[in-house]
């Protein structure tokens, strides 16, 4: 059972869904889920539903410039703004959540906790480490910068997603993709994010080796329980990246979801929720 709510961030409204179990049991605490660049809060829907049934109150957020959240008036999508938004949301929650962050969301969570210890109860990093593979980052940036003139139909959207994620079977029902696009007055469909996010200074420049030193320093300062869940087919996280993270956060553990790519929860939600469920049980 979920309801749409709103937080305030540095760029304006931050749209969110709050998930609770149907029987009203939500005594285990809060889970806060941050999506990756170019995604929306709906990328967590299946995982959020599962975790809420296990007694957690789950909040899935649209980052600034994504989904139903406000766009940054000045086009500022640098990591400092994202970290400030996260700190503000946690303050509005009024409790320390377990933070789930995929890709850019994980980078945000890692830096936020490392530079502001005590923000959260635990940290789940989903296919992100301080060391990222440049080719994978380029592929994300190229996808986001593609199709600037939008799409004529949802079928064209599905074709673009299938080309980007060839390891996934193209769904027979593509209506779910409608949440990832917005229709403009010209009738064409455009990705559900601020185009400024895909320009220089956006996603392709945020998740880069330029931030490696900052992420390393943040990781060294993380003391909360930490889990890395990475995709066996990921082109972003390598074996070297996993080993580096585990050296920086000695108490952390890592799980390889062999059939998944970069979008771990979407590729294999059953295995993902099983693995994170065990981690959450340990916190409770």
């Amino acid at each position: 059972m979920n309801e749409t709510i709103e937080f305030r961030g540095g760029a304006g409204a931050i749209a969110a869904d709050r998930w609770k179990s149907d029987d009203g049991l939500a005594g285990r605490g809060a889970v806060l889920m941050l999506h990756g660049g170019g995604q929306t809060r709906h990328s967590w829907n299946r995982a959020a539903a599962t975790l809420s049934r296990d007694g957690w109150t789950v909040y899935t957020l649209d980052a600034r410039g994504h989904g139903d959240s406000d766009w940054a008036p000045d086009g500022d999508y640098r990591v400092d703004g994202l970290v400030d938004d996260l700190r503000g949301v946690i303050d509005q929650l009024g409790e320390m959540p377990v933070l789930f962050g995929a890709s850019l969301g994980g980078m945000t969570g890692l830096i936020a906790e490392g530079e502001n210890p005590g923000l959260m109860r635990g940290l789940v990093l989903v296919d992100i480490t301080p060391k990222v593979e440049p080719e994978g980052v380029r592929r994300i940036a190229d996808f986001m910068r593609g199709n600037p003139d939008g799409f004529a139909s949802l079928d064209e959207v599905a074709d673009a997603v299938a080309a980007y994620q060839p390891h996934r079977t193209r769904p027979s029902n593509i209506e779910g993709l409608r949440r990832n696009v917005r229709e403009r007055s010209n009738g064409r469909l455009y990705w559900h994010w601020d185009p400024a996010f895909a320009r220089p200074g956006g996603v392709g420049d945020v998740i880069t080796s330029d931030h490696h030193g900052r992420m390393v320093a943040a990781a060294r300062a993380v003391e909360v329980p930490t889990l890395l869940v990475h995709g066996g087919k990921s082109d972003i996280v390598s074996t070297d990246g996993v080993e580096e993270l585990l050296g920086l956060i000695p108490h952390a553990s890592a799980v390889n979801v062999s059939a998944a790519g970069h979008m771990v929860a979407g590729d294999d939600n059953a295995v993902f929720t099983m693995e994170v469920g065990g981690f959450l049980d340990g916190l409770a």
Side-chain angles (χ1 to χ4, degrees):
M1 180 174 64
N2 67 298
E3 59 178 336
T4 300
I5 60 173
E6 186 178 286
F7 294 100
R8 300 304 300 175
I14 296 177
D17 283 336
R18 177 168 54 205
W19 300 73
K20 292 184 177 180
S21 59
D22 293 334
D23 58 12
L25 297 176
R28 302 182 73 183
V31 166
L32 186 60
M33 308 185 92
L34 307 183
H35 61 72
Q39 294 184 304
T40 71
R41 67 188 190 276
H42 300 296
S43 65
W44 293 114
N45 281 359
R46 289 188 296 162
T50 299
L51 297 181
S52 68
R53 287 193 296 268
D54 287 341
W56 295 89
T57 299
V58 183
Y59 299 85
T60 57
L61 304 187
D62 279 338
R64 63 166 66 187
H66 290 68
D68 297 316
S69 290
D70 285 344
W71 293 4
D74 55 1
D76 184 1
Y77 296 106
R78 292 172 296 180
V79 69
D80 284 338
L82 300 174
V83 169
D84 286 346
D85 286 346
L86 173 58
R87 293 175 62 191
V89 167
I90 292 176
D91 185 59
Q92 291 166 69
L93 276 181
E95 65 176 302
M96 289 169 31
V98 182
L99 192 287
F100 281 54
S103 194
L104 178 60
M107 178 181 177
T108 303
L110 176 65
I111 291 175
E113 176 61 27
E115 295 181 356
N116 306 272
L119 274 182
M120 53 196 72
R121 287 175 62 189
L123 177 62
V124 178
L125 301 173
V126 184
D127 213 64
I128 188 67
T129 56
K131 181 182 185 299
V132 294
E133 298 304 307
E135 184 56 39
V137 174
R138 280 193 294 270
R139 202 168 74 88
I140 292 174
D142 288 346
F143 173 73
M144 294 190 66
R145 291 168 184 158
N147 304 104
D149 298 323
F151 305 91
S153 67
L154 208 56
D155 271 315
E156 288 189 4
V157 175
D159 289 341
V161 173
Y164 177 65
Q165 298 178 323
H167 62 287
R168 283 194 192 181
T169 302
R170 190 179 189 275
S172 55
N173 183 354
I174 60 176
E175 277 301 310
L177 291 173
R178 199 170 295 280
R179 292 178 301 205
N180 296 321
V181 293
R182 65 180 79 218
E183 183 175 350
R184 294 189 186 168
S185 57
N186 61 4
R188 293 184 66 81
L189 303 173
Y190 295 81
W191 294 121
H192 217 328
W193 62 69
D194 181 355
F197 183 71
R199 294 175 190 148
V203 64
D205 295 328
V206 172
I207 309 179
T208 64
S209 58
D210 294 344
H211 287 85
H212 179 257
R214 185 175 183 181
M215 292 181 72
V216 164
R220 286 197 177 110
V222 169
E223 296 183 354
V224 296
T226 302
L227 173 68
L228 167 66
V229 185
H230 59 103
K233 298 179 179 179
S234 172
D235 56 359
I236 295 291
V237 172
S238 65
T239 301
D240 288 346
V242 173
E243 291 177 353
E244 180 189 55
L245 179 76
L246 295 179
L248 294 167
I249 312 178
H251 62 272
S253 55
V255 173
N256 183 333
V257 182
S258 60
H262 184 50
M263 310 298 183
V264 182
D267 286 350
D268 200 335
N269 186 67
V271 172
F272 175 76
T273 51
M274 178 183 69
E275 296 292 351
V276 300
F279 175 77
L280 291 173
D281 286 345
L283 294 181

